[in-house]
Amino acid sequence: SGSDSSLRPTHGFFVICPLIMRAAVILALVAVCSALPVLHLSNVVSSVHHTAENDTNYYLLRLQNICSGRVTIHGLWPQWAEDCSGPSFDMNELANLKTELTEDWPSCETAQDSDEEFWSHEWEKHGTCSGLAIHDYFVQVLELYQQYSADGLNICFDKSFNKIDCPSSLKL
């Protein structure tokens, strides 16, 4: 009976061998995967080409070059609606943005409206349709302007504010 147990492999061998094989497979997979190029999501997203050609679910950032001798903001216009219901314009909500607004979003010298009247008009006609709070809307417009003002007078964005091609049918 003692000689029978010496001829059979021990139970430990059958447990350890599969564990070693699994570890070897995992290490091999790690080695193969680490050799592959890294795929960044931002590269995938930026390579997707989207145009607002056949829908109105986009924003139009309209810039103007008739004020102050440089390109300034006219407004950010959701193309799906205008004159929506929402909170009234409140300059107190924008107190910390007034310097930037005065610089980058002035009412034209030839216009009858003051800066605040212009911003109020843009908020009530367009901003209320954006789904953003008043402060968030003006911050978003200023940020888009800072980032894209060199890209022309009409710049389109999807509802997540990713830049897209404007439709060729865009008429202003």
Side-chain angles (χ1 to χ4, degrees):
S1 65
S3 63
D4 288 338
S5 65
S6 65
L7 296 175
R8 286 181 291 170
T10 63
H11 179 67
F13 174 80
F14 289 109
V15 171
I16 292 173
C17 187
L19 290 176
I20 292 171
M21 291 303 292
R22 286 184 190 136
V25 168
I26 291 170
L27 288 173
L29 286 172
V30 168
V32 168
C33 290
S34 65
L36 294 174
V38 177
L39 182 62
H40 293 283
L41 184 57
S42 61
N43 293 339
V44 173
V45 171
S46 66
S47 68
V48 174
H49 189 69
H50 180 68
T51 303
E53 196 63 49
N54 296 317
D55 67 45
T56 58
N57 288 320
Y58 68 96
Y59 290 96
L60 170 63
L61 177 62
R62 177 73 174 128
L63 304 179
Q64 55 192 0
N65 61 2
I66 57 174
C67 297
S68 311
R70 65 184 191 91
V71 173
T72 59
I73 300 166
H74 187 160
L76 180 68
W77 305 336
Q79 297 300 291
W80 56 89
E82 60 182 41
D83 296 316
C84 298
S85 61
S88 296
F89 181 79
D90 182 359
M91 191 59 216
N92 294 324
E93 297 268 343
L94 306 176
N96 69 324
L97 302 175
K98 187 164 183 177
T99 302
E100 277 184 273
L101 289 169
T102 302
E103 178 71 19
D104 296 334
W105 201 337
S107 178
C108 295
E109 296 88 13
T110 59
Q112 302 282 337
D113 296 338
S114 69
D115 287 348
E116 287 186 29
E117 289 170 326
F118 181 43
W119 303 328
S120 176
H121 164 78
E122 289 299 312
W123 167 251
E124 290 169 6
K125 185 168 184 177
H126 306 291
T128 54
C129 300
S130 69
L132 299 172
I134 185 170
H135 188 269
D136 296 340
Y137 172 78
F138 282 90
V139 166
Q140 184 67 60
V141 176
L142 290 168
E143 287 176 358
L144 293 173
Y145 171 76
Q146 290 299 322
Q147 188 170 359
Y148 296 104
S149 62
D151 291 1
L153 298 179
N154 300 309
I155 308 158
C156 294
F157 301 89
D158 64 20
K159 286 188 172 183
S160 298
F161 299 105
N162 298 304
K163 186 178 175 195
I164 59 174
D165 291 337
C166 291
S168 57
S169 61
L170 182 66
K171 305 248 190 295
L172 294 175

